Amino acid sequence: MALKKHAIPLCLVAALALGTTTSAFAAKQEDPTPIDQILTKAIKVDNIYNDIKYLSKKPRVSGTKEEDKAVKYIEKKFESFGLKTEVQPFEFEKYFGASEVSFTVGEEEIPSNALDYTANGNVTAELVYVGLGKAEDLEGVDLTGKIALIQRGDITFAEKLANAVEKGAEAAVIFNRQGAGDDDAPFGGTLGGAENGVAPIIGISYNAGMDLVEQLEAGESVTATVHVDGSEVRTVTSHNVIATKPAKSDAPETDQIVIIGAHHDSVEGAPGANDDASGTATTLELARVMAKMPTDTEIRFITFGAEEDGLVGSYEYVDSLSEDEQKSIVAMFQLDMVGSRDAGDLIMYTVDGNPNNVTKYGGDAAERLDYDVPYGQESRSDHVPFYEAGIPAALFIHSPSEPWYHSPEDTIDKISKEKLKQVASIVGAAAYNIAEPNTPALPMKAKVKAKSKKNVEIHRLHVDKPTK
Ligand code: BES
Ligand code: ZN
């Protein structure tokens, strides 16, 4: 959708630069305000695009030197805009998946996946088929020094492994259920926690499993090797980067804070151009554009680390705030996956599905800029810890997600400058509308009337790894 073109009155440009604008547009606007226009014009989408390009050369997995490099880049950029910038380091326990996994039977290697939280090891032993590996399947069975061959189903992988190990097994091989995915492909899953990794455990395909069962049931003895290495939990350090634009104008300050945020980390193997270099780079550009604009409200631009590990950075940040600070935050705009050419339309997600300050100002700004942005319900990003602290927060994302989500294909060539520009303009206009001088202070939890339609469809492309 094209933006409506309006001339910007020169006197307003001058007034804005001098920090003397008053909010002449407090009433509901159907069209872009002059300030919307100034902001939209000031946003240089090439800056966003180039930052995504730089950030997405390699995956930025939290706790790695690639994350450190991204953090330094973001910090330098914020500082170059004249913003006071703080890097907030934090430690957490991070799981690293196995770097080596193999399953060999005789001369043949059978494709396999290590389950998350598996123990490492190199076990060569006889295979014993024990059905579903439930307690009753194992009654009177001695697995001492053996590898248990178990079918997926009924109970968790962790329970199957615990049952087999209790009977003396040194490793477990789980084969898939028929039709639970590709019958020829190994599956992946998780034990759910490091405490369950009592022996090496891998997943193989249904067909590979059935071949082995047939051999065993025909009375053959099958010796196999399960090899797993590199699976470990390590304490790592990740970081949040926080740039603060203080309230500064001729108007009285509001004591309120607006946050624009994104996560700078990505998952293993994914360059994360859209998830979430797009949000990070958009946050940087909004910081550049707004750094010198007059506001009666403080704006914080934040990029979070370790989002992909369970929103660790944003929880750390919210926990680090005093109660007073938490109370002062009237809006948190989270930008996550905001530039894919292959994703759907822009939507604002709140954790509870209800409208709040963010969806109200976001929806109004979108309308002024001639877009229609609905809201819906979704968690899965850094707006969650803010919501849990009672702070009005929403996730800006395009839905449905692109097929490249969390994959090596999440690269710069799939980024749409038009989408970036759209999100930057809407979020910029909305955030500035709250922060600009002489706007009335916002309530913490705004009782706003639903303006836009609730998006009923929630698209879930990514499901967490199965535990059974
Ligand atoms: N950007 C995604 C969240 C997302 C993707 C929301 C697609 C809606 C549609 C985010 O980086 C992510 O992957 N989050 C994790 C959850 C988090 C708590 C570890 C996820 O969804 O698996
Ligand atoms: Zn993300």
Side-chain angles (χ1 to χ4, degrees):
M1 233 178 287
L3 296 183
K4 290 177 187 163
K5 297 262 180 294
H6 289 260
I8 302 164
L10 265 180
C11 58
L12 252 147
V13 180
L16 188 69
L18 293 171
T20 56
T21 49
T22 53
S23 188
F25 301 97
K28 184 96 192 315
Q29 284 288 314
E30 299 287 321
D31 292 323
T33 65
I35 290 168
D36 291 337
Q37 294 176 62
I38 290 168
L39 253 164
T40 305
K41 207 161 173 225
I43 293 163
K44 297 285 171 252
V45 77
D46 284 340
N47 288 340
I48 308 180
Y49 190 84
N50 291 336
D51 284 343
I52 298 175
K53 197 165 176 180
Y54 175 85
L55 290 166
S56 64
K57 284 193 184 120
K58 286 190 188 159
R60 302 169 302 283
V61 178
S62 61
T64 67
K65 62 179 192 313
E66 293 306 328
E67 190 215 352
D68 294 349
K69 207 174 140 198
V71 164
K72 289 218 174 64
Y73 181 81
I74 296 160
E75 182 189 16
K76 290 258 138 48
K77 280 258 158 158
F78 279 142
E79 282 172 349
S80 76
F81 309 145
L83 297 172
K84 191 182 113 250
T85 304
E86 184 206 338
V87 174
Q88 178 182 51
F90 56 90
E91 284 189 344
F92 72 104
E93 303 279 290
K94 181 178 170 94
Y95 176 67
F96 290 83
S99 49
E100 288 175 25
V101 53
S102 64
F103 178 49
T104 18
V105 178
E107 293 294 292
E108 193 195 353
E109 181 174 337
I110 295 172
S112 62
N113 285 326
L115 300 198
D116 281 1
Y117 298 107
T118 171
N120 295 313
N122 193 62
V123 179
T124 300
E126 212 181 302
L127 276 182
V128 180
Y129 175 50
V130 290
L132 287 165
K134 296 201 236 180
E136 58 262 37
D137 298 317
L138 290 162
E139 251 170 62
V141 180
D142 181 13
L143 293 175
T144 306
K146 304 282 197 299
I147 298 172
L149 177 66
I150 310 174
Q151 183 160 28
R152 183 180 182 183
D154 281 18
I155 58 171
T156 64
F157 304 131
E159 286 164 332
K160 289 174 195 279
L161 183 64
N163 291 345
V165 166
E166 205 191 296
K167 295 289 176 181
E170 299 211 344
V173 175
I174 314 288
F175 66 97
N176 212 350
R177 281 189 314 266
Q178 190 167 27
D182 179 346
D183 285 348
D184 283 316
F187 69 96
T190 178
L191 294 175
E195 65 283 3
N196 297 325
V198 290
I201 179 166
I202 59 173
I204 63 171
S205 73
Y206 169 75
N207 284 335
M210 286 311 289
D211 281 353
L212 292 167
V213 171
E214 270 170 34
Q215 290 175 46
L216 292 168
E217 288 190 337
E220 288 174 41
S221 152
V222 181
T223 298
T225 300
V226 171
H227 173 76
V228 179
D229 202 14
S231 164
E232 62 170 338
V233 174
R234 271 204 314 266
T235 304
V236 300
T237 303
S238 179
H239 318 78
N240 298 323
V241 190
I242 305 140
T244 305
K245 183 221 175 297
K248 197 165 182 293
S249 73
D250 292 343
E253 290 166 19
T254 63
D255 280 340
Q256 296 193 331
I257 302 168
V258 171
I259 293 180
I260 300 177
H263 69 91
H264 58 243
D265 63 314
S266 68
V267 296
E268 182 91 49
N274 199 41
D275 188 11
D276 182 27
S278 66
T280 298
T282 304
T283 301
L284 283 172
E285 180 61 1
L286 289 176
R288 185 189 70 79
V289 168
M290 293 203 224
K292 301 271 155 35
M293 288 173 73
T295 59
D296 62 6
T297 296
E298 180 177 312
I299 308 179
R300 293 187 191 172
F301 301 93
I302 310 182
T303 73
F304 302 102
E307 187 267 357
E308 302 287 7
D309 299 276
L311 318 178
V312 184
S314 44
Y315 273 114
E316 282 283 336
Y317 178 73
V318 172
D319 280 355
S320 75
L321 298 172
S322 68
E323 227 169 274
D324 276 355
E325 256 176 318
Q326 291 189 1
K327 281 211 183 90
S328 322
I329 305 169
V330 290
M332 192 279 171
F333 296 79
Q334 168 72 359
L335 313 184
D336 193 356
M337 301 171 66
V338 292
S340 176
R341 65 157 201 222
D342 305 305
D345 291 333
L346 185 62
I347 177 161
M348 302 175 285
Y349 284 128
T350 60
V351 175
D352 56 14
N354 293 326
N356 60 25
N357 290 346
V358 185
T359 58
K360 178 183 183 330
Y361 277 78
D364 286 352
E367 205 170 282
R368 295 197 303 276
L369 296 171
D370 216 10
Y371 295 106
D372 181 23
V373 181
Y375 65 87
Q377 182 173 20
E378 183 59 273
S379 305
R380 301 176 66 185
S381 193
D382 294 313
H383 57 311
V384 174
F386 291 87
Y387 165 79
E388 289 176 357
I391 298 165
L395 162 66
F396 288 70
I397 192 166
H398 293 110
S399 179
S401 314
E402 62 280 10
W404 329 118
Y405 169 57
H406 281 186
S407 85
E409 270 73 59
D410 182 7
T411 44
I412 185 74
D413 52 306
K414 324 282 194 324
I415 293 294
S416 148
K417 289 189 181 178
E418 207 185 328
K419 282 218 170 90
L420 293 172
K421 178 85 190 195
Q422 175 208 27
V423 179
S425 306
I426 293 170
V427 173
Y432 192 70
N433 200 201
I434 299 174
E436 71 184 315
N438 289 327
T439 42
L442 281 187
M444 258 287 285
K445 287 184 181 168
K447 297 222 171 19
V448 291
K449 269 227 238 85
K451 181 200 73 62
S452 43
K453 302 161 290 312
K454 194 161 175 171
N455 183 340
V456 281
E457 218 174 326
I458 295 167
H459 302 273
R460 280 198 168 273
L461 263 185
H462 176 78
V463 229
D464 281 337
K465 285 192 182 167
T467 53
K468 67 189 266 190

